[in-house]
Amino acid sequence: MRAAWDGIDAAKVWDAHAHLVGTGDSGSGIAVNPAMESLLDPAQYARRLFFLNAGCAHDAPGSVDRAYVERMRNLLDGMPGTKLLLFAFDRTYGEDGKPDLEHTAFHVPDAYARDTARAHPGIFEWVASVHPYAPDALERLEQAKRDGVRAVKWLPAAMGIDPASPRCDSFYAFLEKNDLPLISHAGEERAVLGRDAHDYGNPLRLRRPLDAGVRVGLGVDGSASNDSGHMLAEGRQAMLLQRVALGASALTAEEALWIATRGGAAVLRREDIGALAPGMAADFVGVRLDRLAFAGAQSDPLAALVFCAPASVDLSVINGQVVIEGGRLLTVDLPAVIARHNAIAGGLLGRVEV
């Protein structure tokens, strides 16, 4: 594990998606929807067990909150210097500005996330969760800013937040003025039930905060997002979705590539990555344009990268180390890794009754 960190400044690595969960048994103020504790609602009941089991806190009756935090601390033992961003989670609110407890899966107060981070400043930072429809939303943002919050977290589909609504404009103005990023789930939401307003997870709705100057980071349910981790392909998809909704000139290839590189670095508050410039990390890739995939696209090489989204690169340099050269991975014995992967997959299938 430690060898994997060679050449990496761990102090600049923050896990930007760590949910705080619990049962409130420590006086934390965490509240769980009664349906999640009832066998009469098996889907919600199973989700509660899944969340607690994932945090190794399911077998700690009476001390679930404490056990969950200790588990996160233990996970960081092998990653010296890095931090977790702990997420609070606000209640669902209706269009009338009143809390909708029936459709609130759970509530993790900002104060609990703040206090947990303050108790362990070397490994935790905290992220507030403020519903923009709440009557005191701006006052809560002001308090969070005074308390050293790092960002604001939304889950629109579950919390009933329409990011494209004009009623969010004052919220966005505060975030932009105070340089606070917005971390919002996008896509279909299956992990947390609530309002089930899946259309609110459409990333196109986040154009409004982007136009207001807010730095926006997207989170997804990994098992439901079905992506390949291909940065250029994701940029291409974002560009095409904008064009479908808003016209052919809605987002250029250059803007899509900027979002994937400089924009991502800005959300992470990283000033050493995202561009090729003196003092920056030497992270870059090279792609040969004489491939068949780029035939006819020579007039604009940058647009060709985004529109054609190559499946592989010919050169990759990470923090000054050449990792791929001539299309060949240099840092691992790839045939051996593939063979081991296939063996593990075969072993798993062998234990499954078909």
Side-chain angles (χ1 to χ4, degrees):
M1 173 67 78
R2 293 187 182 278
W5 289 89
D6 287 347
I8 298 175
D9 184 354
K12 295 181 178 179
V13 179
W14 290 8
D15 184 332
H17 203 131
H19 281 278
L20 268 177
V21 298
T23 61
D25 57 15
S26 68
S28 60
I30 292 176
V32 179
N33 192 307
M36 300 190 78
E37 299 182 300
S38 172
L39 287 171
L40 297 177
D41 194 332
Q44 288 280 52
Y45 186 82
R47 279 174 169 80
R48 180 180 66 85
L49 294 182
F50 174 81
F51 294 148
L52 295 181
N53 184 64
C56 297
H58 62 289
D59 56 354
S63 58
V64 171
D65 292 357
R66 179 197 59 79
Y68 190 85
V69 173
E70 286 303 309
R71 171 59 175 165
M72 290 192 294
R73 292 181 62 193
N74 292 338
L75 288 173
L76 290 175
D77 284 346
M79 297 182 284
T82 193
K83 288 186 174 184
L84 295 182
L85 280 174
L86 302 182
F87 285 177
F89 198 88
D90 204 3
R91 301 178 181 89
T92 297
Y93 281 76
E95 293 287 338
D96 57 3
K98 296 180 180 179
D100 180 358
L101 300 184
E102 179 184 354
H103 294 101
T104 297
F106 52 86
H107 174 226
V108 180
D110 288 347
Y112 179 55
R114 177 200 65 201
D115 293 345
T116 303
R118 285 179 173 176
H120 309 283
I123 57 175
F124 295 149
E125 300 284 345
W126 75 285
V127 173
S129 183
V130 180
H131 199 298
Y133 300 177
D136 61 347
L138 295 182
E139 289 82 357
R140 290 168 59 190
L141 284 176
E142 289 277 8
Q143 184 63 52
K145 178 66 176 177
R146 289 193 293 270
D147 290 341
V149 73
R150 291 294 188 171
V152 174
K153 160 71 175 181
W154 284 354
L155 205 167
M159 297 167 72
I161 300 171
D162 180 2
S165 171
R167 70 187 303 172
C168 298
D169 287 348
S170 59
F171 197 97
Y172 296 147
F174 183 95
L175 296 183
E176 190 277 331
K177 179 181 178 181
N178 291 277
D179 195 27
L180 283 176
L182 173 65
I183 302 173
S184 180
H185 267 241
E188 189 174 19
E189 177 57 43
R190 292 302 180 190
V192 180
L193 299 183
R195 275 295 181 87
D196 287 343
H198 297 294
D199 188 50
Y200 287 172
N202 186 337
L204 297 179
R205 291 183 175 274
L206 291 163
R207 185 80 206 199
R208 194 173 192 93
L210 288 171
D211 287 343
V214 179
R215 291 181 294 138
V216 178
L218 297 184
V220 297
D221 289 342
S223 58
S225 61
N226 214 19
D227 66 81
S228 63
H230 190 317
M231 186 184 76
L232 289 174
E234 294 298 315
R236 178 178 183 271
Q237 184 79 348
M239 178 186 67
L240 295 179
L241 284 171
Q242 291 286 335
R243 293 183 173 201
V244 167
L246 303 172
S249 61
L251 192 70
T252 67
E254 183 177 0
E255 288 174 321
L257 190 60
W258 187 95
I259 290 171
T261 54
R262 300 294 297 276
V267 168
L268 295 173
R269 297 180 183 272
R270 294 287 299 273
E271 298 179 352
D272 61 329
I273 60 174
L276 284 175
M280 294 285 200
D283 294 341
F284 58 91
V285 297
V287 180
R288 293 179 61 102
L289 296 181
D290 56 359
R291 301 183 188 182
L292 176 61
F294 294 108
Q298 305 297 313
S299 61
D300 190 341
L302 187 150
L305 284 177
V306 177
F307 279 99
C308 301
S312 60
V313 299
D314 298 289
L315 173 70
S316 177
V317 178
I318 300 176
N319 201 28
Q321 179 185 4
V322 178
V323 176
I324 295 175
E325 188 171 20
R328 186 171 62 89
L329 185 62
L330 304 179
T331 54
V332 299
D333 182 353
L334 194 56
V337 171
I338 294 172
R340 182 168 180 269
H341 188 167
N342 287 334
I344 292 172
L348 289 173
L349 289 173
R351 294 200 295 269
V352 177
E353 293 184 8
V354 180

